[in-house]
Amino acid sequence: MDEEAKMRTCHLLDLPWEDVLVPHILCYLPLQHLVSLQRVSKQFHNLIKVYLSNCRTFHLSPTSPCIPREAFCSMLKDNKVLQNLSLQNCSDWVSDKELLPVIGQNQHLQRVDMSGCACLTRHSLVAVSLSCMHLQHLGLAHCEWVDSLSLRSLADHCGGLQSIDLTACRQLKDDAICYLAKKCSNLRSLSLAVNANITDESVEEVAKNCRGLEQLDLTGCLRVRNQSIRTLAEYCPKLQSLKVNHCHNVTESSLDPLRKRNVVIDVEPPLQRALVLLQDVLGFAPFINLQI
């Protein structure tokens, strides 16, 4: 009886690794839990190694502890099938030395987020552009090392790009953004926020070339004016969201046509702003008949 019961007993590691455990169980565990699981036994270590070499997504939760350099290199050294790579939890230390080998052996990457990675250089962006021809989404927010030449390389090789975040990439000027717009006409989401170099020229070129644009962030682009916002309204019928906070030269005359199309704008209409200000002063919101 004992032998029969023993034969009926099935342990987790007895299940087929690549057909069952990797695609149907381990894929639902956070990466930090998988790393802990590696320490349980030699068998679990080998199992997690198989999983990491076959995983399509490398993305740690923003609330997770910063991943050590050695762990990052160890976890990705055998992976050649990544499609989604996020470096949020490595941004304090990751450099070209650690990233370039990962990019070089993962040519199927579709989404890469390098936001806030201050230790990288333009070489990493050039490597992404040369290796990842199928790239669709790219995060470069607060990467001040991004320059015109590296962005042009990206535009030349990644024409299928659908979204790019260039928030606070302050080296970039109109010429680079105009080049990107002409080469990547499938862009649906674009952030040029917090860049005082951006003018109407960039916005108009984006509007005329990226007709399917749905989201545009111009927060803090102080040189953008009404003229380019009107062009945006004319050429981008699919626009859903526009951010123009702190764009002091953009007024309601250019925003009103977009509001009538139900485009979400992060700046309230003048009357609404006046009511909010009045409420702050008086401590209550007065009743005003807006139908008069």
Side-chain angles (χ1 to χ4, degrees), residues 139-267:
L140 293 168
H142 303 283
C143 294
E144 298 200 20
W145 43 265
V146 176
D147 60 8
S148 176
L149 288 176
S150 57
L151 191 69
R152 283 172 177 264
S153 176
L154 179 76
D156 284 334
H157 297 94
C158 301
L161 204 62
Q162 295 180 15
S163 70
I164 184 168
D165 187 348
L166 297 170
T167 299
C169 294
R170 295 186 178 90
Q171 286 196 56
L172 298 177
K173 298 181 180 179
D174 283 332
D175 60 332
I177 302 304
C178 291
Y179 192 84
L180 177 72
K182 291 174 183 176
K183 292 285 187 174
C184 300
S185 58
N186 293 321
L187 278 176
R188 296 204 305 258
S189 177
L190 172 64
S191 175
L192 302 173
V194 200
N195 188 342
N197 296 321
I198 301 302
T199 72
D200 285 342
E201 183 181 355
S202 289
V203 180
E204 292 192 354
E205 203 65 40
V206 168
K208 292 175 181 178
N209 288 280
C210 306
R211 305 290 183 92
L213 194 68
E214 298 174 1
Q215 299 175 333
L216 180 62
D217 188 350
L218 299 172
T219 303
C221 294
L222 303 177
R223 299 170 67 187
V224 171
R225 302 173 182 274
N226 284 330
Q227 175 186 340
S228 61
I229 302 301
R230 293 191 182 100
T231 304
L232 191 68
E234 179 182 354
Y235 285 92
C236 297
K238 296 182 179 180
L239 193 67
Q240 299 174 7
S241 170
L242 175 64
K243 295 183 178 181
V244 288
N245 200 16
H246 303 299
C247 296
H248 303 303
N249 294 312
V250 174
T251 65
E252 189 62 22
S253 64
S254 63
L255 295 176
D256 185 60
L258 291 171
R259 293 191 200 279
K260 291 176 179 176
R261 283 167 36 188
N262 295 319
V263 175
V264 177
I265 300 174
D266 65 338
V267 175

Side-chain angles (χ1 to χ4, degrees), residues 95-113:
S95 67
D96 295 344
K97 181 180 178 181
E98 293 82 29
L99 184 58
L100 290 178
V102 176
I103 297 298
Q105 66 189 29
N106 285 281
Q107 300 181 1
H108 301 288
L109 279 164
Q110 297 177 12
R111 182 184 296 268
V112 178
D113 189 355

